[in-house]
Amino acid sequence: MMQQTMLRVKDPLRSLQFYTRILGLTLLQKIDFPSMRFTLYFLGYEDKSDIPADISERTAWTFSRRATLELTHNWGSESDQSLSYHNGNNQPQGFGHIGIAVPDVQAACEFFDKQGVTFVKKPDAGKVKGLAFIQDPDGYWIEIFSPDKMASIMSP
């Protein structure tokens, strides 16, 4: 099972607002590491009512979820004006993107547009039509696609 993908974030409040309010993920668990001065935020597409109240149960439950997003915040990074994280798409390239499945790409993009989300590619732009790429507050790319449309999009 692929359990998590980790992204470093500069401003956790801004990132949490983006991933929960804009993309609809749920904060599953926050874990502070005071001696090392960082915090982990685990997010996923889960029902809040399923999250166990007991911390030990919650931790085991969180780490048993599929495809969670782990946001890592190094304390003080939000105050460092010179800090920015490499999104993997600028040179030298590395990490590319995460993907979020939606029922209707066009409707999702209209919502993102109204929320002021930055687009890398809109559904009707570029060579591959029908999917989009947006950016999170740290510039990481997020592919937006509809599973029902992927067979036709991926056909040569």
Side-chain angles (χ1 to χ4, degrees):
M1 157 177 94
M2 204 290 279
Q3 200 278 320
Q4 63 188 255
T5 297
M6 186 274 273
L7 301 175
R8 287 179 181 84
V9 298
K10 183 172 179 170
D11 182 340
L13 297 177
R14 206 168 148 214
S15 294
L16 286 169
Q17 184 175 46
F18 175 84
Y19 282 102
T20 58
R21 191 176 60 81
I22 305 290
L23 292 182
L25 281 91
T26 298
L27 178 61
L28 309 179
Q29 188 165 11
K30 174 187 174 198
I31 305 172
D32 291 316
F33 293 84
S35 66
M36 294 178 274
R37 300 185 41 78
F38 72 92
T39 299
L40 304 178
Y41 300 88
F42 290 91
L43 298 105
Y45 287 107
E46 302 287 345
D47 190 323
K48 285 183 182 182
S49 65
D50 292 337
I51 301 172
D54 176 79
I55 193 65
S56 294
E57 289 178 27
R58 178 184 299 179
T59 301
W61 180 87
T62 296
F63 284 92
S64 72
R65 304 295 90 195
R66 294 180 187 273
T68 64
L69 186 60
E70 173 189 346
L71 302 180
T72 299
H73 171 241
N74 294 303
W75 298 0
S77 62
E78 66 279 7
S79 303
D80 186 343
Q81 297 302 318
S82 66
L83 177 72
S84 67
Y85 290 115
H86 191 285
N87 69 12
N89 291 291
N90 299 329
Q91 295 299 328
Q93 290 184 323
F95 174 82
H97 63 272
I98 61 172
I100 302 291
V102 298
D104 182 332
V105 172
Q106 196 63 43
C109 288
E110 289 170 12
F111 171 76
F112 298 148
D113 214 16
K114 287 177 185 168
Q115 301 303 310
V117 172
T118 301
F119 282 85
V120 175
K121 178 199 169 309
K122 291 196 176 187
D124 295 328
K127 294 179 183 176
V128 181
K129 308 290 189 220
L131 54 83
F133 283 88
I134 61 174
Q135 287 183 310
D136 83 349
D138 288 284
Y140 294 112
W141 290 21
I142 303 163
E143 181 178 8
I144 306 299
F145 63 92
S146 175
D148 294 343
K149 307 288 186 203
M150 292 309 290
S152 62
I153 291 171
M154 295 297 157
S155 295

